[in-house]
Structure formats: C-alpha cells, structure tokens
C-alpha cells in the first residue's frame, strides 16, 4: 500500500501518518518528491482497510500495490535512484559504461586493458577475481591477488572498480578493494549473499538469474534493500531460451519493463547475453535505445588467449567503436554517454 499525501501536506501530517503506520507494527518508507510526498507501508498490511489510511489528515489517496516488491518499486519511490560511485553517477542522464576483462589474469593484462577502456571512454573498470565457473577445472580467478591488481588499476587510471563477490564471507575483503560489488547470475537467489551485501556500504550490481523472472530479480533486489543498502542496480544479462545460436537470449523487453517497475538503475550486459563478440555492439546499441542506464562489457587485448569468456570479449579497437556508436544512440534518446 502506498499513501500519497496532499500537495501541501504539513510536516506534522506526514509525521502523524508515519506514527499511525508504525502503531500497527509496520514500517513506513517516506519518499519526498518535488510535488508531494509518498509513504510506503512495509509489512503485511492486508488486515487494515484502505479506508483507514484514506481517513488520515493530509492524505490525498491510497494506492494498492500489486507487486510483492516494495522498496524496489517505482510506486514507492517514483523518481529514478541515482547512485554515486566516486565521480560517476549511475541512473542519471549519462549512460555509464563499465568495461574490462572477464577475469583479471595478470598485472600486464589488466593494466593494458584498463588503459584501453579508459581511453575509449569507459567510466568504470570491470574485472573478475573470484570467478563462478561452470567447470571446476576451468580457471577460477586469481582471488585476493586479483583484487589487489584491481585496486592498483583503480589508482593508476582513476576509475572506480566493479568485481564479483561469490560468498557472504568474502563481502568484507571484496569491499576493501572494489567500489561496486557484483552479484552474478548464478547467485541471484543466494539469500545469505544478498543479506551480506545488503549490510555492506558498497553499491551492488545484481545480475538477473539466467532462469529467473523479472519479478524474481526485483524480489532479490528487495532483499538487499531491506537489509539497509539502498544502492542497488539491476542487470539484464540474457536468459535461457530454446534458441541455441547465442549463449543466452538478451531479454531486451526486460529493460523497459524494469524501468517502469523500479526506480533502480538498469544495466545491460551484451557480452554474456550473446556470448559472441560480433553481437556485442549491436546489442549494446539496442540496450541503450531501449532505455538502459548503463552497460557492462568484456574487453580483452588478446581474446584468443583469454582465460575466460574470450569468445565474447571485444578487442580494444572494437570496444572504442562501440562506445562511439553508443554515444550516437544515447544522443538520439535524450541521453549522453
Ligand atoms: C561475469 O560478469 O563475468 C559473469 C560471470 O557474469 P554472469 O554472472 O552474468 O554470468
Ligand atoms: Mn565473463
């Protein structure tokens, strides 16, 4: 349930509605808009009739929320959430480009790639140190030494860093080195991990489970938000379908659907969605045209030798061209990049 206050509702009327909500044992979530304030009720409020809330002083109307997610819902929080990471704002007019290797492999590889993506116009450096690989025999990531290299690159190129965290015990150490914590597709419903990143102070990029619905993605975001971390971005990275010509199927629909359902920034990952480097730029362009607030893209200086996801990694020149084209699309839809 969401309570929309009157245009000129007094501060005391707002405070009194909040006290009333809390007197039932519910939590109140106040969102102050430019025009009017909106108060969300968190808890199972079904036993209380909507007429009760409507009768309170200063209330204009009461909206029933049909979705099970609340803190993530645009009904609760009508304006876009903008997440500041160092100097980079995610969710504002500028489309944020995150790029770098799938895995951190060596100092040389990371530094060369970081220099190239920075030069091409990326705003955030990506790189995996803890890798969730399908096979236990595949490269599992450098772990802590990989995090240290990311921090080095962060300082050298003055770019915030995003990296994946796979288990609740690692949240502390990953937070010491990274600016954004990535929760991967395979962990979208790892509730202990969602709890742990929800208690951390770092922004989180939550990837959609490859077999999860949009509602399940937003419920996973709700876990993080409900543990106190308001800085969550959601990411469409492709889902499993019957179509075998690409690694996954980019659910391009999910981008405008998410933008309408949630105030959280929506990021698109054309690399994992397609699995093929030559499809990455077209799907990046389509994602920005569809309203994505950002992109996360894999880049490698020598994809043939990459220890993970080489087939979907762009060489630096191709990435630079992609950024140029994305800028043109961003301009066409009222944004910059
Ligand atoms: C990655 O970003 O390298 C990754 C493993 O992504 P996903 O969780 O979407 O597969
Ligand atoms: Mn990858």
């Amino acid at each position: 349930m969401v309570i929309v206050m009157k245009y000129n509702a007094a501060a005391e009327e707002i405070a009194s509605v909040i006290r009333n909500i809390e007197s039932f044992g519910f939590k109140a979530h106040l969102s102050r808009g430019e025009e009017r304030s909106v108060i969300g009720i968190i808890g199972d409020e079904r036993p209380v009739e909507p007429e009760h809330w409507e009768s309170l002083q200063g209330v204009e109307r009461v909206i029933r929320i049909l979705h099970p997610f609340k803190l993530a819902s645009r009904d609760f929080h009508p304006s876009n959430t903008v997440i500041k990471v160092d100097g980079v704002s995610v969710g504002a007019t500028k489309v944020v480009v995150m790029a770098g290797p799938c895995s951190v492999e060596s100092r040389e590889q990371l530094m060369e790639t970081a220099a190239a993506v920075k030069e091409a116009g990326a705003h955030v450096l990506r790189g995996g140190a803890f890798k969730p690989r399908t096979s236990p025999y595949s490269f599992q990531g450098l772990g802590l030494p990989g995090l240290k290299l990311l921090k080095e690159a962060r300082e050298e190129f003055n770019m915030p860093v995003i990296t994946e965290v796979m288990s609740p015990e690692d949240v502390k150490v990953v937070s010491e080195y990274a600016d954004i914590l990535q929760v991967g597709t395979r962990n979208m419903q790892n509730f202990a991990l969602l709890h742990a990143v929800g208690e951390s102070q770092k922004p989180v990029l939550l990837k959609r489970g490859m077999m999860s619905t949009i509602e399940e993605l937003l419920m996973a975001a709700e876990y993080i938000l409900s543990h106190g971390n308001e800085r969550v971005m959601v990411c469409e990275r492709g889902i499993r379908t019957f179509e075998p010509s690409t690694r996954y199927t980019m659910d391009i629909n999910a981008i405008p659907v998410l933008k309408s359902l949630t105030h959280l920034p929506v990021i698109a990952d054309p690399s994992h969605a397609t699995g093929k480097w030559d499809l990455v730029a077209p799907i990046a362009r389509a994602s920005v045209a569809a309203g994505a607030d950002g992109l996360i893209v894999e880049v490698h200086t020598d994809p043939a030798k990459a220890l993970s996801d080489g087939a979907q990694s762009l060489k630096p020149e191709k990435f630079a061209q992609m950024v140029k084209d994305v800028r043109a699309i961003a301009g066409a839809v009222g944004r910059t990049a």
Side-chain angles (χ1 to χ4, degrees), residues 58-73:
V59 171
E60 178 167 295
R61 70 197 140 95
V62 168
I63 306 171
R64 260 181 205 280
I65 301 291
L66 300 172
H67 308 295
F69 45 88
K70 293 170 185 258
L71 297 172
S73 161

Side-chain angles (χ1 to χ4, degrees), residues 172-218:
K172 191 165 174 281
V173 65
V174 176
S175 300
E176 281 167 27
Y177 294 92
D179 301 282
I180 307 173
L181 306 176
Q182 176 176 324
V183 173
T185 191
R186 294 161 185 83
N187 272 319
M188 189 202 85
Q189 284 187 321
N190 178 340
F191 297 110
L193 181 61
L194 299 178
H195 186 148
V197 298
E199 284 182 345
S200 93
Q201 305 300 313
K202 294 282 174 174
V204 177
L205 179 134
L206 175 66
K207 292 187 130 189
R208 178 178 179 184
M210 61 180 86
M211 290 176 285
S212 299
T213 63
I214 291 172
E215 186 171 293
E216 285 162 344
L217 169 62
L218 291 174

Side-chain angles (χ1 to χ4, degrees), residues 125-327:
L125 177 65
R126 67 147 286 152
F130 294 98
K131 296 302 302 176
R133 304 306 301 281
T134 303
S135 165
Y137 309 119
S138 302
F139 176 59
Q140 303 287 308
L142 294 180
L144 183 58
L147 293 178
K148 291 187 173 162
L149 290 174
L150 282 167
K151 182 136 190 172
E152 242 183 87
R154 175 187 194 283
E155 306 311 328
E156 173 139 2
F157 297 99
N158 192 25
M159 289 172 98
V161 156
I162 176 168
T163 196
E164 178 158 358
V165 57
M166 294 207 298
S167 69
E169 308 83 73
D170 292 338
V171 170
K172 191 165 174 281
V173 65
V174 176
S175 300
E176 281 167 27
Y177 294 92
D179 301 282
I180 307 173
L181 306 176
Q182 176 176 324
V183 173
T185 191
R186 294 161 185 83
N187 272 319
M188 189 202 85
Q189 284 187 321
N190 178 340
F191 297 110
L193 181 61
L194 299 178
H195 186 148
V197 298
E199 284 182 345
S200 93
Q201 305 300 313
K202 294 282 174 174
V204 177
L205 179 134
L206 175 66
K207 292 187 130 189
R208 178 178 179 184
M210 61 180 86
M211 290 176 285
S212 299
T213 63
I214 291 172
E215 186 171 293
E216 285 162 344
L217 169 62
L218 291 174
M219 290 309 288
E222 189 81 11
Y223 266 89
I224 304 174
L225 296 165
S226 68
H227 284 291
N229 190 343
E230 292 180 359
R231 298 197 291 166
V232 181
M233 340 173 180
V234 288
C235 176
E236 169 57 45
R237 47 79 70 207
I239 51 173
R240 279 250 157 100
T241 67
F242 54 81
E243 178 51 60
S245 31
T246 47
R247 186 177 179 189
Y248 297 96
T249 296
M250 182 61 160
D251 183 5
I252 204 86
N253 298 353
I255 297 169
V257 170
L258 282 165
K259 288 301 294 176
S260 75
L261 291 176
T262 184
H263 53 92
L264 302 172
V266 176
I267 310 298
D269 176 345
S271 307
H272 292 87
T274 59
K276 295 183 174 169
W277 70 266
D278 54 330
L279 302 180
V280 171
I283 298 306
R285 299 195 298 264
S287 300
V288 171
D293 297 302
L295 295 169
I296 181 161
V297 176
E298 289 184 343
V299 178
H300 200 286
T301 45
D302 190 357
K305 296 216 178 87
L307 297 181
S308 61
D309 288 350
Q312 67 196 35
S313 297
L314 290 177
K315 288 187 181 161
E317 316 79 77
K318 299 279 183 204
F319 173 69
Q321 185 60 47
M322 186 210 87
V323 173
K324 282 198 187 110
D325 296 344
V326 158
R327 284 202 180 118

